[in-house]
Amino acid sequence: MTGPALTVEGLSVHYGGVRAAHGIGFTVAPGESVGIIGANGAGKSSTLKAIMGLAPRTVQVLRFGERDLTRTPAHQVVRSGIGYVPEGRHIFPGLSVEKNLLLGAYTRSWKSAARESLDEVNTLFPVLGEMRNRLAGALSGGQQQMLAIGRALMSKPRLMVLDEPSMGLSPKLVGEILLALKKLNEEGLSILLVEQNAKLTFEVTSRCLVMETGEVAMTGTSDQLRGDPKVRRIYLGL
Ligand code: ATP
């Protein structure tokens, strides 16, 4: 196990009068893969954005290893070793695939380090290497999701935070992305995965939180939750 742990305590998000998340607390241990599942509007994305410094928040403890992130702006959060793959991908459609990837390496001081990461990303997702000179906007939805994950990997994160990577993708592409995430986790990268797709999340994570109306309603190992009658009924449709 390598890398620091993420510790979150007493995290709340308010957009004006709208309370999107309240009193959220959890940890992601080094090398661990943790999921947050929940219905539309449960506050999952707001929780991730608040961790990254991209949503209005109050928080008692927000730490990555020894580093206190309670006052850290978003770009410095990335520098501390947390890679973020936002919902909806947010790639640059008018730039080539390779330029999109290299933009993810803005935290790296050496060109050679960026080149090495580029090779690693192209090994993980060979299609990105094959299409390196294409405009990113010309890629399929699944390829764009791979690009968004690849771009976040370019900063050499020790924790990857992903917001609904399966959204809008065919089962085949979801399977490919799931395999890539498993591989990255096996190589020691910690993962925090937000998903509406509970089945997928249980396959990639060892532990999950279930969010309902802005709060943590349940926690457990992914195996426990997969067998829980309420989770089976509401989130797995069984
Ligand atoms: P989804 O799966 O649809 O992304 P979610 O669980 O990620 O849902 P959030 O997107 O965090 O949920 O939304 C939680 C609540 O906060 C919702 O009621 C939503 O309408 C509200 N909300 C989210 N973003 C904003 C915003 N920028 N301004 C105002 N309200 C917001």
Side-chain angles (χ1 to χ4, degrees):
M1 304 252 266
T2 53
L6 177 72
T7 309
V8 181
E9 282 173 29
L11 174 75
S12 299
V13 184
H14 286 88
Y15 302 101
V18 178
R19 190 183 84 168
H22 181 70
I24 307 298
F26 62 94
T27 58
V28 182
E32 199 181 17
S33 181
V34 173
I36 304 180
I37 61 168
N40 219 337
K44 308 178 300 297
S45 295
S46 297
T47 299
L48 288 196
K49 285 181 193 156
I51 291 169
M52 296 307 297
L54 296 168
R57 71 184 183 202
T58 56
V59 63
Q60 283 158 6
V61 179
L62 180 57
R63 225 174 29 234
F64 188 48
E66 294 303 304
R67 193 158 172 180
D68 175 19
L69 298 179
T70 48
R71 287 170 209 286
T72 308
H75 65 282
Q76 292 289 356
V77 175
V78 173
R79 274 186 201 280
S80 78
I82 305 180
Y84 175 50
V85 182
E87 189 175 356
R89 300 153 204 162
H90 298 282
I91 52 136
F92 299 96
L95 294 180
S96 72
V97 167
E98 189 160 291
K99 285 216 171 93
N100 267 272
L101 289 174
L102 288 170
L103 278 174
Y106 75 95
T107 56
R108 318 288 299 280
S109 42
W110 296 97
K111 262 201 179 142
S112 55
R115 196 34 73 182
E116 191 186 306
S117 291
L118 197 58
D119 290 343
E120 285 168 15
V121 169
N122 289 340
T123 304
L124 185 69
F125 296 122
V127 71
L128 297 181
E130 288 156 22
M131 299 197 166
R132 65 166 78 72
N133 296 319
R134 294 264 189 98
L135 289 184
L139 300 185
S140 72
Q143 290 161 349
Q144 289 188 9
Q145 187 63 66
M146 290 173 189
L147 180 56
I149 295 172
R151 185 180 54 187
L153 286 171
M154 292 291 293
S155 65
K156 270 260 181 239
R158 286 163 295 169
L159 167 68
M160 275 282 264
V161 170
L162 300 109
D163 198 348
E164 302 238 11
S166 79
M167 193 158 64
L169 303 187
S170 69
K172 179 174 176 286
L173 281 165
V174 168
E176 279 180 39
I177 285 173
L178 182 145
L179 270 182
L181 294 180
K182 276 188 175 169
K183 186 160 178 274
L184 291 167
N185 184 234
E186 281 163 16
E187 288 169 1
L189 183 65
S190 311
I191 288 180
L192 176 59
L193 173 66
V194 153
E195 267 292 340
Q196 280 191 43
N197 183 336
K199 186 167 176 277
L200 163 80
T201 310
F202 293 149
E203 284 183 42
V204 183
T205 57
S206 55
R207 212 154 51 77
C208 282
L209 324 176
V210 181
M211 280 188 77
E212 284 172 9
T213 56
E215 297 191 23
V216 177
M218 294 171 84
T219 59
T221 68
S222 302
D223 286 340
Q224 280 166 350
L225 290 171
R226 194 190 270 124
D228 181 273
K230 181 180 162 190
V231 172
R232 285 171 67 81
R233 185 167 36 87
I234 300 180
Y235 299 103
L236 295 172
L238 297 171

